[in-house]
Every structure is written in structure tokens, then in C-alpha cells.
Amino acid sequence: MANELIKFVLAYVVLLMSNKEVNGQNLVKFILVHDVGQDQYVDIFTQALKTNDVNSANAVDLVAVELEENNNEFDKMCNAFASDGTFIIDISWSGYEPIKEISKEFNVPYLRLDVSISAHLDLLDRYLDARNTTDVALIFDNPYHVDQTLYYWIDTTRLRMVVTEKLDSVSSKRLKEMRPTPNAYTLITTTAKMNTLYNQVSTDGLLKLAERWNLLILDFEYDSLYRLDIIKNINILYLDKSVCCGLKEMQTCDCATEDDLYSAFIDAVLRRLMPFIDEFVTEPQTGKIRCNETKFDQAIYEDFYKRIDGVFGTMEDVVIEENEILRIRAKGAVETMVDTGESEVVAKYVHGEGLEVLKPELVKPVRLFFRIGTTYALPWSYEETDPVTGVKYWTGYCIDFAHKLSELMHFDYELVIPEKGTFGEKDFYGNWDGLVGDLVRGQTDLAVAALTMTADREEVIDFIAPYYEQVGITIVMRKPVRKTSLFKFMTVLKLEVWLSIVGALVVTGFMVWFLDKYSPYSARNNKKAYPYPTRQFNLKESFWFALTSFTPQGGGEAPKALSGRTLVAAYWLFVVLMLATFTANLAAFLTVERMQTPVQSLEQLARQSRINYTVVESSETHKYFINMKYAEDTLYKMWKELTLNASTDNTQYRVWDYPIREQYGQILIAINDSMPVQNAEEGFDKVDERLDADFAFIHDSAEVKYEISKNCNLTEVGEVFAERPYAVAIQQGSHLQDTISIMILDLQKDRFFESLQAKYWNHSRKGDCASADDNEGITLESLGGVFIATLFGLVLAMLTLAGEVFYYNQKKKKEDALEVKPVKSISEKPNKFTKQEGGTVTIGDSFKPVMTDKDRMRVSHIALYPRSRNRLPVID
């Protein structure tokens, strides 16, 4: 390829570079080497050459050579080559090295003019360096600028990323999917097209990291840029108009477009170059150049470039690089949008002087940016909605952890949810989906989620030291619903027992009365043995005695007869046994009532059949039981092969002496019978619906504990089993491994993970749940009926008191009506010594009937030494 290009260039040189005279003047031929598509610069050069031709003492001619693959009779053309009065101008984007070498070998002057957008890129490059940016995505409105930019980055040995097509839906998608995420994005176009390009970028949702976006304007109409649409933190870069005016050697000028700049540049170069050409061609060059020989003269070569440096070294707006490359001196500014429609100049740049930062607070190094993968798993990472704004956001243990890492490591991040799958499964062809698949394909930089470490996953990604090591599987059930009843203490004994107790009380009361009345040794019938007042066991007293015998105070004075005491002793034994039975059963009844769950472990759950249980279909828990069932089958198969082997000692190994108890097979059958649920929420709902606590859900322990902390009806059963750690995953060979490992160790030392655990498992609705501690005692709901019974007795006593008062008042009225009416006048008032009819004289101011002998016989006796001072004489 290079040889063909050299042949092509030499063919044109042989054809065009013969020294001739025109009107007595030496003819200087400029060989203008250009790339395909640079016709506009050829026109600009031609016009500038005509303008500056008057400054030359020689005739000037121009031959434009467009570089392309060709091979036109190289040998024939080479024989006609001459070197007198020849000058090569190279305006190609990269400058072709073969032409430069030919010019050196044959002492032909060579000069390269850089008419690309390198001055603008120089400004951008220095600004990116100031922000510690290592790569940039360049977006063009015109693909014409792509080659210029690409050659510039290659020449500066910097690695940048370039979007080579115009911005459309396809390129926008590629920008979004570009991995790793670029440190910077730059739109490169003119002022007139910048707003359109910017609005398209904004519409496509590419401005999430506004501080990374730069608008590089290629013309000088940047003051007319419509800034109201540009959001905060966007950067605007442009060359100062003084660059164009300086090339024109004017204080003010009408430079506006990109072509105006390059026209002024070429014109300034030729204006300085033409006198130099006159001096150069006055020195005779003799001899013909042949294809098989060279005439390279180091002295002539060095003298030429010394003159180049002397001619252009004094130009303020032109830079000489590598002796033969002339470029426009970059002189520009950087603005940053500080608010909508408002911008400030934050930096200025002049080539050779460096970037002057005017606002250090606005020109900060670009923070690292990582795409962090996560997926739904309570309480690790889940989505919530802001009640005020209605905006959805991700929160959880892992989200807080990722945010803490970003603070410690000083990076920005974006949460990425897998488009397919959750944590990561491998298909038949070995392709991964979920978080693992995104890491493998480079869609994410790291994954912070409830991701377990497995051997298959470690084959394609790397894991960092675990950040949580207490995760496993556990069982959740509903707390049994207590059937509240104020008379629950009455349910300790069956109805027939209560009726039997009432019957025993009635019969005992009646028999006490019967025995006391007819026994000759009772106090009623044996007055001589009991001359003092004793308790008379009429029906009322007998029933009262039977009833009060159930109280700790006892029934009071017992019957005197031996038959009555025998009955009372038997009755008291009945009362003691009945009270002891009731007390014991009441305690046991209330204790059983407060038991939370009927099972306490996975083994107990597997052995019973009343409680059904299930798991989430195809979850890690479901796979665990499937794997354990397979392990049981495999072990039993190995045991059977061992015991049935003919060479095995039958007395040592017998097939029925299988040492492992098979339970996972039964558990898996029970799970399939209950039908696995589709998600964890469905499983928790099924548990919560079973008020009798006859359903269990086996699931991830962390999510179970989180759900229990929010739902007072749920409780954890047994201990956690099948424990496994959770760890951060990264791409294989990632440089983040050591840094994140150190951060995790520091966070563990600072007890950061303990604070997260307290946040998501302890501080929730659990504190508002009703206490179910067995040490809290019996509630009022269980024994409220006792207080109601006491209150009922109080009300009944008050009603009885009202009846007694009413009865007493009625009786008193009847007694008052039977009394003697009083005298009608004072004269008729009887004397206290007056003798009444039918009786003796009485003393007093009123007449009282005189007791007859019959009336006196009603008094049986008067107790001179009563047993109780409050007891009144008994009158029969």
C-alpha cells in the first residue's frame, strides 16, 4: 500500500515539477497535496495564492494532487523529474510520510499546513486533562470532521472513543450501551446546528450526567447560541474571535464561519511564505533527479527549516511543530452553565501557556462512574414510591451499602436492573442472564445485591469478601389467633361437669337440712346437749352452707350430728378435689392458649401432617430441597449397592440399617402437594390468611425476618438452616477488587453493617405489635368474666337491698295501722294511773295491753350467758 502511494506521488512529481521560465521569470510550482473531500481548501489556497502572487518576483503556479491509490507509469515519469524551484504544500489531514521522505531525499522543500479542527480539539483536550478525564465520546453533526478528529487523537497518542456517524436513534442507543461509560461526551458542530443536536441528545435521554457533557463550537457565532434550553453544568467551549482577526492582522474583523478561519490562516501563511520562496529559488539547483539515485543534503534540509522557523516563528497566531507543521494557535474559553440560561467563563486557554482555571469550584475532576447491578430482593433492594412526588426509587440494605461505597471511593453510579432474569441462571448453551450475565457482557461494573457465591458463577465473574454471612432458610407461620371470651374460664370444664357440680351442691344442701331435722343427735333435737344457741340448719341455711363451702373461708358452723358431719366431710373432700382440678386445668388451659406455634423445627414440620407448607417456585429455597432430595437418593443408592454387594459382610452392613433419616423427600412431596407459589408476597399472604396457624412458608431468612418486623401476625419457627454468604460481584480481573475489599473491611470495623441490620430488621412496626411474651401474664380478656360475675353479684345485692327496704316499709305500715288510735281531746286524755278495761293499771303515758298467761308461755327461756353478744334471744 505504501509503495503504491509513493509511486503515485512520484509520478505526479515527475510530471509536474519541470523548471520553466515564464516571461523571463522562474516558474515556482506549488504541489498542493490534499485528501479526498478537501476541494474547498484547494479553492481557498488557490484564491490566497493569487492574492499573494504580486509579492513574489517569480511566476507562481499550483498543481493540486489528490491522494488516492494509483500507479501511473512511474518509471517513465521519474526520468523527467527536476528539482529547480519546487515547493510541496501538504494539507492532508494526517500528512503523508512517504511524500515527506521523498522531499528529504531529493531536497524538495516540504511544508504541511494543518487546516483541520485541531485548534478546537487542542482546547478540548486541555480542558479534559484539567478534569482528569481519560476518554471522551465525540458526537458529530457532520461526518466530515471525523477523520480530522481521529488523526488528531492518534497524533497526540491519546485514547479516545469516537462516534463516527451522525446522531440518530441507532447512535443514541450505542451511546447508552457504550461500556465502560465514557468520562466525557462532546458535541462538535457549528452554532447554528448546536441547539438542534443538543435537543436531540436531550430527547434521547443522554444527559443524565450533565457535568460530563461539552459543547464544542467550531465557528465564531457562539454569542448567538440559545442557552435557555441548556441545563445546568453543561460546558461550552469555543475559540476566541481574536484568533481569526490576528491571522488577518486586524484588531476587529468579520470572521464568522469555520471557512473564514482557515481562509485567514492560509492567507497569512502564504503572505509570509512568498518572500521566502523568492530567496530559496535564487539559489541554483543543478542536475537531474533519477529514480535510482538521491541527492539528500543534510545542510540544505537544515537550512530550509531554519528559514521556516525564522519566517513563521514571529507569528503570534501560528504554531510551528516538528519543524514543518504549521497550525493555528489555539486561544479559547470554557463556559459552564450555572443556571438555566446563565453561564460563566470558568477557564481560558492559550496554546503554549496552558489552561488558566478561573473558577476552580466549577472545574473539578470528573468523578468515576460505575454501573451497579441490582435486583429485587426484600429487604436488600426494592422499589418504593415517594408519597409526596410520586417518583419511584430504589432502597434497601444493598442500596445503602452501594451509596456508602460511592462516598468512600468518590464515584457516581447508576443502578441497572437486569432486563432478563434476576440473579443469574445459565442456559443450556452456557449463556448467563440476570446480574451475572450483565457482568459477563460488561453491561455493569459491579453487582451489589443478595447474590450468593457459587462455583458456577465464579467461573465467569469474581467475588469480593462477603459483606453478609448470616443468610439461610427459615420457616414462617402465623401466630394462632386467640379466641377471646370474657367467660373463657368457664370453658375449662364441660357443661355436664358444671351441671354435676350444681346438682351436688343442691343435693348436699337438701341432705344437710334433712339430716339435721331428723337426727336425734342434732342440735335441733337434742336441746340438753346443746343448751346454748346453735346454727339452725333450715333449708336456707343448708343451701348457704353448701355454697360457701367452695370458698376459702369455708361454710361456717357445721352440723352437730354424726350423720351430718359425715356428709359434710365427704362434701368437703369433693370440694377440695373439684377446686384443685379446676385450678390445674385453668392453668394448663391458659398456658396452651399462649403457645405461639405447634412446631418448632423443620424436623417437626416434616413429621406432622396437619400443617401444610410451600416455597417459591424455582427459588433458591426450592432448589435447595430438590438438591437435598437428590442427595438423599444418591446416598441411599450408594448404601444399597454397598449392602447388596456379595463381597460385603452381611453382619456389618444390612440394607434395613440405613443410618440416614430421609426427610427431604417427604418435604418435597408435601411442597408439591401444596403447590409452590409464584413469589414471596403470595407465600406470606397465604400464611397470614390461615388464622388457625395451619400453614407454613419456607423462604429466605432475611426476607422472612424483614416481613415479620412489618407484620405482627407472623412468627419465625425454628433456627436458620442452609446458611450461605452474600458478596459483591465484579467482572473478572477488575481493578476494583482490592479497593472494594479494603472498603468492606473498614465498614465492618466501623459497624456499618450492624447499623444497616438494625435499620431494616429491628426498627419497624415490630415495636407496635401487641406483646406475646409468656411472662406477661393472663390478659383481662381471658378472665374478664370473673369480674363480670362479681359485678353481677354486686348488682344483685343492690337489688336485694332495695327489695328488703321495700318489704320493711310495707311491713311497718301494716304494723302502724294495727296500733290504737290516739284520744281526740285533752280532757279525754287518759291518766297514767287510769285503769283500762280488761287489764291492770300500767305505768306510762300510753296504754299497753297487759300480757295474759297465755302470752307469757311463749317465752321458752332467756339466755343468761349467750355465746355471742350480738346474738338476740331466740323466740319460738
Side-chain angles (χ1 to χ4, degrees):
M1 184 70 159
N3 293 332
E4 293 179 356
L5 183 59
I6 294 173
K7 291 178 181 180
F8 161 74
V9 173
L10 289 179
Y12 269 85
V13 170
V14 170
L15 179 63
L16 299 173
M17 299 187 64
S18 301
N19 188 31
K20 298 181 179 179
E21 292 186 359
V22 178
N23 298 326
Q25 293 179 322
N26 289 328
L27 177 62
V28 178
K29 288 187 178 180
F30 282 98
I31 308 303
L32 185 63
V33 181
H34 65 92
D35 281 322
V36 177
Q38 286 187 312
D39 295 337
Q40 64 186 66
Y41 297 104
V42 175
D43 295 339
I44 292 174
F45 193 92
T46 302
Q47 183 63 33
L49 193 60
K50 292 178 179 180
T51 303
N52 292 279
D53 187 18
V54 296
N55 299 324
S56 175
N58 299 292
V60 179
D61 193 11
L62 174 67
V63 177
V65 179
E66 184 176 86
L67 295 179
E68 60 181 358
E69 293 187 5
N70 203 344
N71 186 10
N72 294 327
E73 302 180 6
F74 170 74
D75 295 333
K76 180 179 179 181
M77 297 294 180
C78 186
N79 293 329
F81 181 74
S83 62
D84 294 340
T86 305
F87 207 104
I88 300 176
I89 301 292
D90 187 357
I91 62 171
S92 61
W93 302 132
S94 61
Y96 284 89
E97 196 66 24
I99 296 178
K100 181 180 177 182
E101 294 299 325
I102 291 173
S103 67
K104 290 173 60 177
E105 291 178 0
F106 299 113
N107 296 323
V108 177
Y110 173 85
L111 188 64
R112 178 185 167 198
L113 303 185
D114 186 357
V115 293
S116 68
I117 59 173
S118 59
H120 300 81
L121 297 177
D122 189 23
L123 169 63
L124 174 64
D125 192 54
R126 297 303 179 268
Y127 178 67
L128 294 178
D129 285 344
R131 301 195 63 190
N132 198 25
T133 302
T134 57
D135 60 295
V136 60
L138 302 174
I139 305 169
F140 300 94
D141 177 74
N142 188 353
Y144 175 72
H145 296 116
V146 173
D147 289 343
Q148 307 176 42
T149 306
L150 184 59
Y151 288 128
Y152 175 83
W153 295 130
I154 293 176
D155 286 346
T156 55
T157 66
R158 295 180 181 274
L159 179 61
R160 308 290 183 180
M161 291 180 289
V162 180
V163 177
T164 58
E165 63 263 63
K166 295 177 64 175
L167 188 64
D168 52 21
S169 58
V170 176
S171 57
S172 295
K173 183 178 179 181
R174 290 180 179 176
L175 277 175
K176 291 180 181 179
E177 296 176 352
M178 190 176 292
R179 302 293 179 269
T181 303
N183 292 140
Y185 300 85
T186 302
L187 302 180
I188 303 177
T189 187
T190 59
T191 304
K193 299 179 180 179
M194 183 61 76
N195 282 113
T196 303
L197 190 61
Y198 173 82
N199 291 334
Q200 185 174 353
V201 169
S202 178
T203 303
D204 293 339
L206 298 174
L207 297 178
K208 293 182 179 180
L209 303 172
E211 68 280 358
R212 297 189 175 208
W213 281 85
N214 309 295
L215 311 183
L216 181 59
I217 300 176
L218 299 179
D219 55 21
F220 300 99
E221 297 180 341
Y222 42 81
D223 291 335
S224 63
L225 180 67
Y226 189 71
R227 288 170 167 80
L228 290 178
D229 291 338
I230 303 176
I231 63 175
K232 185 178 180 181
N233 296 327
I234 297 288
N235 307 299
I236 304 173
L237 296 86
Y238 52 83
L239 290 184
D240 194 271
K241 189 178 293 187
S242 62
V243 175
C244 184
C245 295
L247 291 171
K248 292 185 175 184
E249 297 180 353
M250 301 172 62
Q251 294 295 328
T252 60
C253 60
D254 57 354
C255 283
T257 66
E258 184 181 357
D259 289 342
D260 291 341
L261 173 65
Y262 300 118
S263 177
F265 171 59
I266 294 175
D267 185 71
V269 169
L270 290 179
R271 189 166 56 247
R272 289 294 186 96
L273 183 62
M274 295 310 291
F276 171 76
I277 290 294
D278 291 344
E279 295 178 3
F280 185 78
V281 298
T282 57
E283 300 178 3
Q285 302 291 327
T286 60
K288 299 293 184 180
I289 298 177
R290 305 183 185 279
C291 296
N292 56 358
E293 63 181 28
T294 62
K295 293 185 177 181
F296 175 69
D297 190 330
Q298 184 68 30
I300 296 177
Y301 176 80
E302 293 179 355
D303 180 67
F304 171 76
Y305 288 111
K306 283 181 181 180
R307 295 184 183 184
I308 289 289
D309 185 65
V311 171
F312 296 102
T314 59
M315 295 185 67
E316 181 180 354
D317 296 303
V318 175
V319 178
I320 304 175
E321 294 182 358
E322 301 178 9
N323 293 329
E324 73 273 358
I325 303 176
L326 299 184
R327 283 196 173 104
I328 300 174
R329 182 185 297 273
K331 185 189 301 181
V334 181
E335 294 183 9
T336 297
M337 302 300 298
V338 295
D339 203 348
T340 303
E342 298 181 7
S343 62
E344 291 185 8
V345 177
V346 298
K348 290 186 176 181
Y349 174 69
V350 177
H351 181 86
E353 299 179 7
L355 186 74
E356 180 185 3
V357 178
L358 305 178
K359 300 282 185 178
E361 66 277 7
L362 297 178
V363 185
K364 297 179 180 180
V366 176
R367 288 163 59 95
L368 295 174
F369 179 81
F370 298 128
R371 292 169 56 87
I372 301 179
T374 190
T375 188
Y376 176 84
L378 281 174
W380 307 101
S381 50
Y382 55 95
E383 198 172 21
E384 285 191 347
T385 303
D386 192 308
V388 178
T389 62
V391 178
K392 292 185 177 181
Y393 64 95
W394 281 82
T395 185
Y397 186 104
C398 291
I399 306 303
D400 291 353
F401 175 35
H403 184 71
K404 189 66 175 181
L405 285 178
S406 71
E407 292 179 350
L408 296 177
M409 298 173 60
H410 306 289
F411 67 82
D412 297 323
Y413 66 92
E414 175 188 6
L415 293 177
V416 179
I417 312 303
E419 296 181 358
K420 181 182 179 182
T422 54
F423 296 100
E425 299 293 336
K426 185 169 63 173
D427 61 16
F428 177 78
Y429 301 99
N431 300 318
W432 289 83
D433 62 5
L435 296 178
V436 178
D438 286 347
L439 284 172
V440 172
R441 291 185 295 273
Q443 297 296 322
T444 56
D445 301 293
L446 66 156
V448 182
L451 189 64
T452 55
M453 303 171 63
T454 63
D456 288 344
R457 292 172 178 173
E458 286 186 312
E459 291 180 356
V460 293
I461 60 176
D462 289 340
F463 284 97
I464 302 176
Y467 63 88
Y468 198 92
E469 300 182 355
Q470 303 173 0
V471 182
I473 303 174
T474 191
I475 306 169
V476 61
M477 294 182 64
R478 197 192 200 285
K479 297 177 183 177
V481 177
R482 299 180 182 180
K483 297 180 180 180
T484 58
S485 174
L486 296 176
F487 296 94
K488 184 169 288 187
F489 69 96
M490 297 290 293
T491 60
V492 175
L493 302 177
K494 297 293 185 180
L495 178 61
E496 55 269 22
V497 179
W498 286 114
L499 294 177
S500 299
I501 293 175
V502 174
L505 187 148
V506 172
V507 171
T508 300
F510 178 80
M511 290 301 299
V512 168
W513 170 79
F514 181 81
L515 294 177
D516 187 75
K517 183 175 181 179
Y518 293 103
S519 175
Y521 296 101
S522 65
R524 180 199 300 262
N525 299 325
N526 192 5
K527 301 291 186 181
K528 294 180 180 180
Y530 305 100
Y532 50 85
T534 59
R535 185 175 185 180
Q536 302 299 317
F537 284 94
N538 50 27
L539 284 176
K540 182 184 71 173
E541 287 294 325
S542 298
F543 283 112
W544 183 252
F545 173 81
L547 181 61
T548 56
S549 294
F550 279 94
T551 64
Q553 186 177 357
E557 186 179 354
K560 303 300 182 183
L562 180 61
S563 59
R565 293 188 175 186
T566 303
L567 174 63
V568 169
Y571 180 68
W572 281 348
L573 179 62
F574 165 77
V575 169
V576 170
L577 294 177
M578 191 56 62
L579 288 175
T581 302
F582 178 80
T583 303
N585 280 275
L586 178 63
F589 181 81
L590 296 176
T591 301
V592 173
E593 179 195 27
R594 289 187 292 170
M595 291 179 61
Q596 295 299 310
T597 53
V599 295
Q600 296 296 328
S601 65
L602 180 66
E603 290 75 14
Q604 293 182 10
L605 188 66
R607 287 197 297 265
Q608 57 81 46
S609 58
R610 185 182 70 87
I611 301 175
N612 297 324
Y613 44 91
T614 189
V615 298
V616 176
E617 186 174 9
S618 300
S619 64
E620 294 295 330
T621 305
H622 196 188
K623 294 176 182 178
Y624 167 78
F625 287 112
I626 294 175
N627 294 337
M628 295 304 293
K629 168 65 169 57
Y630 177 76
E632 283 184 344
D633 294 343
T634 303
L635 291 175
Y636 182 75
K637 182 178 179 181
M638 296 173 62
W639 172 261
K640 186 169 64 173
E641 292 177 354
L642 175 64
T643 56
L644 297 181
N645 193 340
S647 61
T648 304
D649 186 0
N650 293 332
T651 61
Q652 186 177 5
Y653 300 107
R654 293 175 293 185
V655 68
W656 53 84
D657 291 336
Y658 186 52
I660 301 176
R661 184 180 182 277
E662 296 181 340
Q663 65 175 3
Y664 292 100
Q666 300 175 2
I667 293 175
L668 194 58
I669 292 175
I671 289 174
N672 294 331
D673 291 341
S674 299
M675 299 298 295
V677 295
Q678 297 301 317
N679 51 62
E681 184 178 358
E682 182 181 351
F684 288 119
D685 290 342
K686 292 187 69 173
V687 171
D688 199 19
E689 292 171 357
R690 301 299 182 92
L691 302 182
D692 295 332
D694 58 351
F695 192 84
F697 181 49
I698 308 175
H699 195 56
D700 178 80
S701 62
E703 188 170 352
V704 167
K705 292 177 180 178
Y706 176 75
E707 193 68 25
I708 290 174
S709 67
K710 294 175 57 181
N711 191 338
C712 299
N713 296 328
L714 304 180
T715 183
E716 185 179 2
V717 176
E719 297 181 353
V720 178
F721 58 93
E723 294 183 345
R724 59 194 185 278
Y726 285 162
V728 176
I730 56 176
Q731 299 177 12
Q732 279 192 340
S734 174
H735 65 282
L736 298 173
Q737 183 163 11
D738 293 338
T739 305
I740 297 179
S741 297
I742 294 174
M743 292 298 108
I744 291 177
L745 293 177
D746 291 341
L747 292 176
Q748 289 175 343
K749 181 179 63 177
D750 296 337
R751 298 183 178 273
F752 172 75
F753 297 112
E754 294 181 10
S755 65
L756 288 185
Q757 186 173 356
K759 176 180 178 181
Y760 288 100
W761 280 282
N762 295 338
H763 297 185
S764 57
R765 287 186 54 193
K766 190 172 183 180
D768 301 331
C769 297
S771 178
D773 191 356
D774 293 343
N775 297 325
E776 291 293 330
I778 301 171
T779 62
L780 183 62
E781 295 178 349
S782 299
L783 294 179
V786 176
F787 297 93
I788 293 178
T790 304
L791 182 61
F792 175 76
L794 177 61
V795 173
L796 184 61
M798 296 302 295
L799 294 176
T800 304
L801 175 62
E804 289 177 343
V805 172
F806 178 77
Y807 176 75
Y808 174 78
N809 291 334
Q810 293 296 324
K811 182 178 180 182
K812 185 177 181 182
K813 288 180 181 180
K814 290 181 181 180
E815 290 178 353
D816 292 344
L818 294 176
E819 291 182 355
V820 178
K821 295 181 179 180
V823 295
K824 296 181 179 180
S825 63
I826 299 176
S827 61
E828 297 179 355
K829 185 176 181 179
N831 192 292
K832 61 181 178 179
F833 299 105
T834 304
K835 182 178 179 181
Q836 301 293 326
E837 295 183 0
T840 60
V841 178
T842 60
I843 300 175
D845 55 2
S846 63
F847 292 98
K848 297 180 179 179
V850 180
M851 292 185 180
T852 62
D853 294 339
K854 184 178 180 181
D855 293 333
R856 293 188 182 97
M857 291 302 293
R858 294 180 61 187
V859 179
S860 61
H861 68 275
I862 298 176
L864 299 178
Y865 185 71
R867 295 180 62 185
S868 176
R869 295 181 180 180
N870 297 328
R871 189 184 301 274
L872 297 177
V874 180
I875 301 176
D876 291 339

